[in-house]
Amino acid sequence: MAQAKGYAAQSATASLAPFNFERRALRADDVAIEIDYCGVCHSDIHTAENDWGGSRYPVVPGHEIIGHVTAVGSGVSRFKVGDIVGVGCMVDSCKHCQACNDGLEQYCLNGFVGTYNGVDKVDGTITLGGYSDSIVVHERFVLTIPEALDPSAAAPILCAGITTYSPLKHFGVKAGDKVGVLGMGGLGHMGVKFAKAMGAEVTIFTRSESKVAEAKKQGADHVVISTDPEQMAAVAGTFNYLLDTIPVQHDLNPYLTCLKYDGVHILVGLIEPLEPAVHTANLVMKRRVIAGSLIGGIPETQEVLDFCAEHGISCDVEMLAMQDINEAYQRMKKGDVKYRFVIDMASLKR
Ligand code: NDP
Ligand code: ZN
Ligand code: ZN
């Protein structure tokens, strides 16, 4: 066991505060990592505040982890001390079902183990995430960070990146397609970059006039202010795909009508229940599809890291001291971050 320092929420209403705990002793297949950077995902907020139910306190959030290897177990072959590595949203799965064999660990038939708020398959303890100075992870769930990537800016690729890359690829976005990205936050800004790299014509749907100029700088071809009915009506029936990253309940109907026939509305936010009701005519009359997608498997997460290195794609980050995390949550809830907070873990040593 090794002592770890981090930040935890002790209840749904408590602010995050310093928290000392222990990381497990290395198992044969484990990699011990000193964490250098951790991105701040909206799922961290949902879990800390128990938006989805089922949060187990204390919650130490954080699943966009970049660090360096400090020790490896006796059976580890892929990593050595000093390697720059990443850990995303999963730290384990059954590793033998069809989904795991297909490299789709996120859909493990026996359930994956989340990086935080998961239950360790070996000792039953609750997993604690990356808002901390160290973590111990099975080597299968450790990613190699390509040298060409700036480690701090690479952190968000491990969740925001893979979560947007995976569905765009799975649903077959190709050159010339029209893709709309709903919500210009951590996920949304990565979705724009990937859709552009795949050759699509990309439109950002945002509530925020202030993001229009920025959105174009991000590479978006067009911007639609989603609260303006005239702008929404002007793009009716034109999109092949909509990638919906909005983290709160919202009416899907105005967006569905923006899809062409056979268009696909891809949800990545968990916004139960889906209200107001979807009008079936918005689906039936144009053979439209509503789909969902969860992060991406480990091989695909490595693929997107390599894709980013190859295409010169990086995340736009605002560095944060661990001590400022509660203020960062408030700003994220207002959509006030361009576009991902990344915690510099050196701040924990202050
Ligand atoms: P962010 O907070 O970074 O961004 C969300 C964006 O949505 C905001 O920037 C804002 O964009 C828009 N938005 C926020 N509130 C509203 C609102 N009330 N109405 C309309 N639009 C709004 O969140 P993330 O990108 O980190 O996460 C997005 C969602 O994806 C979360 O629910 C998260 O849990 C989920 N998620 C899902 C994963 C999966 O595997 N399926 C993985 C990771 C996250 P703007 O200002 O442009 O309108
Ligand atoms: Zn996330
Ligand atoms: Zn499995």
Side-chain angles (χ1 to χ4, degrees):
M1 303 274 243
Q3 282 299 315
K5 268 199 330 199
Y7 262 57
Q10 296 288 347
S11 76
T13 52
S15 299
L16 273 75
F19 177 60
N20 293 325
F21 58 101
E22 285 185 331
R23 290 296 186 188
R24 67 174 182 247
L26 283 195
R27 300 171 189 151
D29 297 320
D30 276 347
V31 177
I33 299 163
E34 182 174 334
I35 300 177
D36 297 313
Y37 304 104
C38 185
V40 181
C41 177
H42 212 108
S43 302
D44 300 353
I45 303 179
H46 291 310
T47 309
E49 301 185 352
N50 201 22
D51 289 345
W52 297 327
S55 293
R56 304 164 173 112
Y57 296 93
V59 169
V60 176
H63 59 202
E64 294 182 340
I65 298 167
I66 300 275
H68 56 278
V69 175
T70 52
V72 295
S74 57
V76 169
S77 56
R78 290 173 43 234
F79 299 99
K80 58 178 191 322
V81 171
D83 287 353
I84 305 295
V85 293
V87 178
C89 305
M90 299 180 282
V91 288
D92 204 4
S93 68
C94 86
K95 304 184 280 292
H96 57 70
C97 71
Q98 188 186 348
C100 287
N101 288 340
D102 286 345
L104 295 170
E105 295 88 348
Q106 76 276 32
Y107 304 124
C108 173
L109 302 181
N110 300 301
F112 72 86
V113 180
T115 302
Y116 55 81
N117 204 45
V119 180
D120 185 83
K121 285 189 185 290
V122 177
D123 62 19
T125 56
I126 305 304
T127 55
L128 301 170
Y131 294 6
S132 60
D133 56 3
S134 67
I135 193 164
V136 175
V137 180
H138 188 290
E139 73 165 328
R140 176 172 173 149
F141 293 83
V142 178
L143 288 308
T144 297
I145 304 304
E147 265 178 36
L149 294 180
D150 167 356
S152 60
I157 299 168
L158 293 155
C159 175
I162 182 61
T163 302
T164 49
Y165 177 85
S166 182
L168 293 175
K169 204 177 155 207
H170 176 78
F171 289 103
V173 171
K174 57 183 187 319
D177 282 343
K178 290 198 165 131
V179 174
V181 175
L182 317 190
M184 187 61 175
L187 269 60
H189 98 286
M190 291 308 289
V192 171
K193 294 180 194 224
F194 292 134
K196 281 302 291 179
M198 291 172 188
E201 184 178 331
V202 182
T203 301
I204 289 175
F205 289 73
T206 177
R207 302 158 303 165
S208 316
E209 289 275 1
S210 66
K211 290 185 184 170
V212 173
E214 281 281 334
K216 297 245 168 99
K217 264 194 243 157
Q218 294 287 321
D221 300 290
H222 316 281
V223 180
V224 170
I225 300 297
S226 53
T227 46
D228 179 342
E230 273 181 29
Q231 291 196 28
M232 292 291 279
V235 294
T238 57
F239 287 89
N240 304 100
Y241 302 95
L242 293 176
L243 179 61
D244 185 342
T245 77
I246 298 170
V248 294
Q249 234 173 34
H250 55 285
D251 188 357
L252 258 50
N253 291 292
Y255 294 108
L256 287 170
T257 58
C258 295
L259 286 169
K260 205 171 167 180
Y261 64 90
D262 282 340
V264 185
H265 186 123
I266 306 161
L267 290 167
V268 294
L270 294 172
I271 49 170
E272 306 320 334
L274 194 51
E275 277 177 355
V278 167
H279 299 305
T280 49
N282 284 336
L283 301 175
V284 172
M285 302 304 281
K286 302 277 182 192
R287 200 164 59 183
R288 294 175 178 128
V289 175
I290 299 176
S293 186
L294 180 66
I295 44 176
I298 295 300
E300 198 176 38
T301 307
Q302 189 63 60
E303 179 183 311
V304 69
L305 286 162
D306 297 341
F307 183 90
C308 287
E310 194 183 316
H311 292 259
I313 293 176
S314 74
C315 316
D316 297 33
V317 304
E318 182 175 336
M319 296 307 291
L320 187 72
M322 187 73 257
Q323 293 80 352
D324 296 333
I325 188 66
N326 294 301
E327 189 193 330
Y329 276 14
Q330 293 314 316
R331 282 185 51 195
M332 277 175 78
K333 287 188 200 169
K334 290 187 277 181
D336 174 24
V337 51
K338 288 176 181 161
Y339 286 91
R340 196 58 138 188
F341 285 117
V342 171
I343 305 162
D344 182 352
M345 281 307 156
S347 62
L348 257 185
K349 295 186 182 128
R350 279 185 219 145

